[in-house]
Amino acid sequence: MNLLDIKLDRSFDVFDSDRKGQLQRSDVLAVSDRLAESLGVAPDSVAGLRDSLGGLWDTVFHTMDRNGDGAVDRQEHRAAFRARIVSDQNRIWDRIRNLSNAWTALGDRDGDGMLSRDEYTSLLHGMFRLPRQTFDEAFSALDRDGDGQLSRDEISVAMKEYYTSQDHAARGNQFFGRL
């Protein structure tokens, strides 16, 4: 299995909230519900993130469902993501940037437009329910300028590297933790 397949499988796993081996709209939207719960806020407080996730499902994930069963399995996810990245980079990156901006705004507790280590770790742990240490290690790799904060640009670059780079040393590979 090549590096991109490993990363796409990890991405699939973090979105597969019910662990049934297929993604449905409810799995993708559950990310916002988990975040609201972890932040101790009402689901309405994460409406922007939920809308972004819904848009990501409608424009990206839903189109991956090649057999029309209403769900995306691991193979459909891999094949479609690879094809989509090649054929429609601008639209997919706009969707991912919107999603990233929505959850960055939610995680930015001090309002400085950046995510501290604690903000990033709490945010991703809340969304994806992976151990905090996973994201603590990821933060160190993603903080390119070493200022102790992740800017929106650093996050966007990391996400783009995660979904496109075949370079084993790319920092963005660490987005969902060590591979």
Side-chain angles (χ1 to χ4, degrees):
M1 184 180 307
N2 70 35
L3 178 62
L4 187 55
D5 286 341
I6 292 168
K7 293 188 294 184
L8 290 173
D9 283 355
R10 170 72 66 86
S11 172
F12 181 92
D13 290 341
V14 298
F15 279 102
D16 183 14
S17 63
D18 61 11
R19 304 294 183 241
K20 291 184 178 176
Q22 55 180 274
L23 300 178
Q24 296 178 314
R25 193 172 208 276
S26 60
D27 288 307
V28 175
L29 295 178
V31 170
S32 64
D33 298 336
R34 289 190 307 259
L35 180 59
E37 179 185 319
S38 76
L39 295 174
V41 299
D44 291 350
S45 300
V46 296
L49 176 61
R50 188 175 183 85
D51 291 346
S52 292
L53 287 165
L56 189 64
W57 175 266
D58 293 342
T59 60
V60 178
F61 285 108
H62 178 71
T63 62
M64 294 178 181
D65 180 15
R66 293 291 178 207
N67 63 7
D69 66 354
V72 177
D73 66 30
R74 189 175 302 276
Q75 299 303 11
E76 288 173 322
H77 180 259
R78 272 192 208 159
F81 222 107
R82 285 176 169 278
R84 189 81 184 247
I85 287 169
V86 170
S87 68
D88 197 12
Q89 278 195 16
N90 292 333
R91 279 189 60 210
I92 197 168
W93 294 125
D94 285 344
R95 292 283 180 200
I96 289 174
R97 191 175 305 109
N98 290 342
L99 173 63
S100 172
N101 288 341
W103 61 259
T104 299
L106 288 168
D108 181 17
R109 294 186 303 253
D110 61 10
D112 66 356
M114 311 219 341
L115 294 179
S116 67
R117 179 181 299 272
D118 182 59
E119 289 169 335
Y120 175 81
T121 301
S122 295
L123 178 69
L124 270 76
H125 169 73
M127 289 171 59
F128 300 117
R129 299 290 198 250
L130 296 173
R132 287 181 184 273
Q133 181 181 355
T134 298
F135 299 117
D136 189 57
E137 292 171 5
F139 183 92
S140 297
L142 303 179
D143 183 13
R144 292 175 181 271
D145 60 11
D147 68 353
Q149 303 279 333
L150 292 181
S151 68
R152 288 182 179 184
D153 286 343
E154 284 173 313
I155 293 168
S156 291
V157 166
M159 289 179 85
K160 190 167 189 171
E161 282 181 350
Y162 185 88
Y163 285 106
T164 62
S165 179
Q166 290 283 8
D167 178 2
H168 287 275
R171 292 175 181 220
N173 292 346
Q174 302 294 317
F175 193 79
F176 291 117
R178 188 179 312 154
L179 296 176

